[in-house]
Amino acid sequence: MEKKLFIIFVFLVCVPFSLFAEDFDHSQGSLFLRLSAGPSFSKVYCDELGENIDGFGYSANLSIGYTVFDKLIISGELARSGAFDVMSDYKNKYDDYSDELKYDDAMLVFSGLGLGITYYTDDNFNFKIVMGMAEFELDTHKVGLAYTVDKKFFISAFLGKEWAVSENWGVGLSAAVTYASTEIAGYDVKYLSPAILLTASYN
């Protein structure tokens, strides 16, 4: 509940202010920092089993990098997202059986470390691609089902817009999507998570 209230507070306070801010610049040879956070939807699905596990939650991303050319930034990326009270939707393709089960207090967590490339336009629209390795955790607590899968490749794409709040700081909004493919108990499993993020950048 506290995480949901924090997300609502950030959007109510920062988004209206960002709409009236001015553009700011990203010049060569400067340090770049960005923190992104907001609501997300996470889904893990397995076509072989006919099962989907999904839920709403949060997504957060920390970028630390360097402007190698004007408006082009290389950065290290730390990403984390989580879904709460996840729902399992099971449909067996080999028979007519189907079922839905909600795991109360369950968590679906994604943690990633990667390399990002960000490009800014003159109007401070920005596009970022991140690639790296991730760990996935599914813990359903009460029923005792838990999986942890690490060192799996992921890719994320971000598209956003920023406005200046000072000479070096800017805030904005960004749409993001993360995709990964992994294996659990011998089955190929896909991970997909779209998100809407509030960003705060220093450059």
Side-chain angles (χ1 to χ4, degrees):
M1 183 63 181
E2 290 82 2
K3 293 183 177 68
K4 295 179 182 178
L5 291 176
F6 173 74
I7 292 171
I8 293 172
F9 172 78
V10 169
F11 270 79
L12 289 178
V13 172
C14 298
V15 171
F17 179 71
S18 71
L19 297 178
F20 300 97
E22 300 176 356
D23 292 338
F24 74 124
D25 196 16
H26 298 272
S27 57
Q28 181 179 357
S30 57
L31 175 68
F32 177 79
L33 301 173
R34 178 195 275 176
L35 177 63
S36 307
S40 67
F41 176 80
S42 298
K43 178 178 180 178
V44 171
Y45 59 98
C46 178
D47 292 333
E48 295 177 79
L49 293 177
E51 183 172 13
N52 298 319
I53 299 175
D54 53 46
F56 289 95
Y58 71 94
S59 181
N61 181 269
L62 175 64
S63 306
I64 303 176
Y66 188 76
T67 309
V68 293
F69 300 104
D70 284 350
K71 305 184 184 303
L72 183 64
I73 297 158
I74 303 291
S75 58
E77 303 284 332
L78 181 63
R80 187 172 177 87
S81 63
F84 312 105
D85 297 337
V86 295
M87 176 75 74
S88 174
D89 180 13
Y90 177 78
K91 294 180 180 179
N92 193 321
K93 63 182 180 180
Y94 298 110
D95 54 42
D96 294 329
Y97 178 77
S98 64
D99 192 19
E100 286 190 356
L101 176 63
K102 183 176 182 180
Y103 297 120
D104 293 324
D105 300 322
M107 284 285 292
L108 172 62
V109 179
F110 164 91
S111 303
L113 183 65
L115 181 68
I117 300 177
T118 305
Y119 176 76
Y120 279 83
T121 69
D122 292 335
D123 296 324
N124 277 314
F125 286 96
N126 56 85
F127 178 71
K128 178 170 72 171
I129 289 288
V130 177
M131 291 181 288
M133 305 301 289
E135 178 183 85
F136 304 88
E137 297 176 72
L138 173 62
D139 190 348
T140 55
H141 303 305
K142 293 182 180 179
V143 297
L145 175 63
Y147 292 110
T148 299
V149 181
D150 58 7
K151 296 181 180 178
K152 297 299 180 181
F153 176 80
F154 78 93
I155 183 169
S156 299
F158 299 75
L159 178 62
K161 164 71 174 173
E162 290 184 343
W163 298 265
V165 295
S166 70
E167 182 179 355
N168 297 108
W169 284 94
V171 297
L173 292 172
S174 182
V177 62
T178 297
Y179 172 82
S181 178
T182 184
E183 184 177 290
I184 295 178
Y187 294 99
D188 291 329
V189 175
K190 312 295 184 185
Y191 172 86
L192 185 67
S193 180
I196 300 295
L197 307 174
L198 176 69
T199 66
S201 300
Y202 175 85
N203 193 213

